[in-house]
């Protein structure tokens, strides 16, 4: 089965600190995505990528950067973390536009910014 | 404004009962729809997709799509406690690569 692995599983950060969330996929999908999940908002798209070297802004990109150094890896970077970024973050891969495939999600990273 | 709205926010049904979940989009560019299910502590997993008007049945799950009214529904018959989860509707535009998710419906199946 398609595999998406996120690390760390839990993270506590301080306000103003830098946070990097990592994601690795073994599905050979071109597209990768970062979502955050908050009660009442569902899943909201932060950044996505079409392939190595590309990153695109999603619906709520402010305060976040993304990096796609290879086909397999996609990172989400919070340069100056704020308490409003406390959330559960999910990485996903899937070539939805190519063949209307499904997305495969990781298990999530719970981030708490104090 | 959320482009994909789901109702109800939460739903409780007895074991063996029928659960009905609804999803409405406000963007006529959305042409492809999925239902995802998320159990507590896990990431969402695709349950089923529907791309054409009408019904699509997979086991105990039936999805219905009406593109004219931008409405998608999911019906779960013979609900089981293991069906207790958060259900998301997701929509894909015919112009993009982004999957837009709804706010979710929390389903509780009482044993």
């Amino acid at each position: 089965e398609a595999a998406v692995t996120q690390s760390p599983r839990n993270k506590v950060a301080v306000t103003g600190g830098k946070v990097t969330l990592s994601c690795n996929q073994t599905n050979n999908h071109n597209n990768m995505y970062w979502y955050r999940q908050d009660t009442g908002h569902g899943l909201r798209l932060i950044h996505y990528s079409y392939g190595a070297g590309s990153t695109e802004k999603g619906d709520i990109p402010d305060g976040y950067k993304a990096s796609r150094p290879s086909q397999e890896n996609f990172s989400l970077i919070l340069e100056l973390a704020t308490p409003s970024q406390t959330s559960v973050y999910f990485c996903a891969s899937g070539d939805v536009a190519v063949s209307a495939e499904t997305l495969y999600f990781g298990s999530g990273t719970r981030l708490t910014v104090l | 404004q959320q482009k994909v709205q789901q109702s109800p926010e939460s739903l409780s049904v007895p074991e063996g009962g029928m659960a009905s979940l609804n999803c409405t989009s406000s963007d006529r560019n959305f042409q492809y729809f999925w239902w995802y299910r998320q159990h507590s502590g896990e990431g969402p997993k695709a349950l089923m997709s529907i791309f054409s008007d009408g019904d699509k049945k997979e086991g105990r799950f039936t999805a219905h799509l009406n593109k004219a009214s931008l409405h998608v529904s999911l019906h779960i018959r013979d609900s089981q406690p293991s069906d207790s989860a958060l259900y998301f509707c997701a929509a894909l535009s015919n112009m993009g690569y982004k999957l837009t998710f709804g706010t979710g419906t929390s389903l509780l199946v009482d044993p």
Side-chain angles (χ1 to χ4, degrees):
Chain A
E1 181 170 299
V4 178
T5 304
Q6 293 183 234
S7 63
R9 193 69 199 270
N10 294 282
K11 173 75 176 178
V12 178
V14 296
T15 298
K18 182 177 181 179
V19 177
T20 300
L21 307 183
S22 300
C23 178
N24 176 276
Q25 57 112 350
T26 59
N27 312 317
N28 199 33
H29 287 141
N30 291 319
N31 300 343
M32 295 186 73
Y33 305 80
W34 276 106
Y35 288 88
R36 64 177 284 176
Q37 181 175 15
D38 304 284
T39 302
H41 292 280
L43 291 158
R44 292 181 291 173
L45 182 63
I46 306 170
H47 284 289
Y48 60 105
S49 168
Y50 297 129
S54 90
T55 60
E56 303 290 333
K57 292 181 179 180
D59 299 321
I60 54 165
D62 292 346
Y64 303 93
K65 290 173 58 178
S67 173
R68 182 87 181 271
S70 65
Q71 178 83 341
E72 297 79 18
N73 296 295
F74 190 36
S75 298
L76 185 68
I77 303 154
L78 291 67
E79 295 278 6
L80 294 170
T82 68
S84 65
Q85 294 175 313
T86 293
S87 185
V88 181
Y89 292 85
F90 287 97
C91 175
S93 75
D95 291 339
V96 289
V98 172
S99 57
E101 289 187 8
T102 63
L103 286 186
Y104 296 89
F105 283 84
S107 298
T109 295
R110 182 174 296 275
L111 173 66
T112 302
V113 182
L114 301 175
Chain B
Q1 182 187 354
Q2 198 84 14
K3 286 188 174 182
V4 179
Q5 297 281 353
Q6 289 185 242
S7 65
E9 286 187 16
S10 62
L11 179 62
S12 181
V13 299
E15 183 175 357
M18 173 77 83
S20 295
L21 289 67
N22 297 291
C23 173
T24 303
S25 68
S26 59
D27 188 338
R28 292 206 166 270
N29 291 312
F30 288 147
Q31 292 290 307
Y32 309 100
F33 296 87
W34 286 260
W35 284 98
Y36 280 75
R37 182 167 72 177
Q38 182 183 28
H39 286 109
S40 181
E42 299 179 2
K45 291 182 181 178
L47 194 57
M48 61 189 302
S49 61
I50 185 164
F51 303 151
S52 301
D53 279 338
D55 292 336
K56 181 178 181 180
K57 184 178 179 181
E58 293 186 0
R60 296 184 294 108
F61 300 87
T62 300
H64 177 81
L65 173 60
N66 182 328
K67 287 188 179 181
S69 62
L70 301 178
H71 183 258
V72 186
S73 59
L74 178 69
H75 305 278
I76 308 172
R77 65 171 176 82
D78 189 24
S79 296
Q80 300 298 307
S82 59
D83 293 328
S84 296
L86 189 56
Y87 289 77
F88 290 107
C89 172
L92 178 67
S93 166
N94 58 1
M95 299 189 301
Y97 297 81
K98 302 186 301 180
L99 204 57
T100 299
F101 285 81
T103 50
T105 292
S106 179
L107 173 64
L108 177 64
V109 180
D110 294 317

